Amino acid sequence: NAGVTQTPKFRVLKTGQSMTLLCAQDMNHEYMYWYRQDPGMGLRLIHYSVGEGTTAKGEVPDGYNVSRLKKQNFLLGLESAAPSQTSVYFCASGQHTGELFFGEGSRLTVL
Amino acid sequence: GENVEQHPSTLSVQEGDSAVIKCTYSDSASNYFPWYKQELGKGPQLIIDIRSNVGEKKDQRIAVTLNKTAKHFSLHITETQPEDSAVYFCAASWNSGGSNYKLTFGKGTLLTVNP
């Protein structure tokens, strides 16, 4: 049972490049989330999904897009990366009880 | 929307001492309050949670208390050990359509337990 798996774990981009972070969960959870973690800022919600085919904006959605074509996968896209998007990104999944299961994070650096 | 304030941002204690981390929330409709522990290089992991119909919950050396009137909740760790060193996050959530699926996190507390 792998839980929540994020790929890639590390990535360096140049300003203006695009990329996609992939999150996969094997727990059949309805809800999936993308957070970013920056020093002193805690965990901020970027986008989330309450089920296959649905997405919604979180606290800091600008510059990101997401898709949930399959229940087990949640993709986070950066169309034109900016240095302000340098961060550690965490994917999480959960059910209605509220407990979230997090991946191990993806560290992104934008030069 | 909900706003969660967490204090202190850093906390250093001696092994064996107790540690207390406090959080306040703004939305009186919030009814679910989890605490997550994040070890270096890993994702956060749930360690304990409490719902608004309970005032206190304990699990071995950790406990959480909730004061709904004052809108604050606290994490208590007794007999701290070096392996308790980590970043701790509190969070709050309200029930929407039968689900507590959207959490608002505090900014985190870096706990260091000195041997």
Side-chain angles (χ1 to χ4, degrees):
Chain A
N1 189 339
V4 178
T5 303
Q6 295 181 225
T7 52
K9 289 184 169 40
F10 301 93
R11 184 74 187 270
V12 178
L13 289 178
K14 294 181 179 179
T15 297
Q17 287 185 316
S18 63
M19 75 158 294
T20 300
L21 295 175
L22 171 64
C23 177
Q25 52 99 0
D26 61 3
M27 296 171 282
N28 201 35
H29 286 164
E30 288 296 327
Y31 305 115
M32 295 189 75
Y33 311 80
W34 277 107
Y35 289 90
R36 61 176 288 173
Q37 184 175 25
D38 303 291
M41 300 297 290
L43 293 161
R44 292 185 291 170
L45 182 63
I46 304 171
H47 286 281
Y48 64 100
S49 168
V50 300
E52 181 179 314
T54 74
T55 63
K57 294 180 180 180
E59 181 185 356
V60 288
D62 293 343
Y64 305 94
N65 57 75
V66 287
S67 64
R68 184 117 180 253
L69 298 180
K70 293 183 178 181
K71 186 177 184 178
Q72 64 267 35
N73 295 337
F74 196 30
L75 279 64
L76 178 71
L78 286 72
E79 290 186 345
S80 179
S84 61
Q85 294 177 304
T86 293
S87 188
V88 181
Y89 293 85
F90 287 97
C91 176
S93 70
Q95 292 285 53
H96 68 279
T97 56
E99 179 179 2
L100 298 187
F101 294 82
F102 285 85
E104 299 221 323
S106 298
R107 183 176 294 275
L108 174 65
T109 302
V110 182
L111 302 176
Chain B
E2 175 65 278
N3 183 49
V4 177
E5 299 282 342
Q6 182 171 347
H7 299 280
S9 55
T10 61
L11 180 59
S12 181
V13 300
Q14 290 298 121
E15 182 177 358
D17 287 350
S18 295
V20 180
I21 302 170
K22 298 182 179 182
C23 289
T24 60
Y25 61 98
S26 61
D27 191 340
S28 57
S30 289
N31 66 347
Y32 174 63
F33 307 93
W35 286 89
Y36 285 80
K37 176 183 181 182
Q38 184 180 28
E39 296 178 346
L40 192 62
K42 303 210 166 188
Q45 186 170 13
L46 180 73
I47 54 170
I48 195 168
D49 56 12
I50 192 168
R51 297 191 186 270
S52 60
N53 58 345
V54 175
E56 182 175 0
K57 185 177 180 181
K58 291 185 71 173
D59 183 3
Q60 299 183 335
R61 295 186 298 107
I62 61 174
V64 57
T65 58
L66 171 66
N67 183 327
K68 287 190 295 183
T69 303
K71 289 192 279 188
H72 66 71
F73 57 111
S74 301
L75 177 71
H76 304 254
I77 306 174
T78 59
E79 301 172 17
T80 53
Q81 300 167 3
E83 51 265 39
D84 294 328
S85 296
V87 177
Y88 291 81
F89 291 99
C90 64
S93 166
W94 67 97
N95 190 298
S96 176
S99 174
N100 284 98
Y101 67 87
K102 198 170 172 191
L103 300 181
T104 300
F105 285 88
K107 287 185 168 49
T109 296
L110 174 61
L111 173 64
T112 304
V113 180
N114 302 301

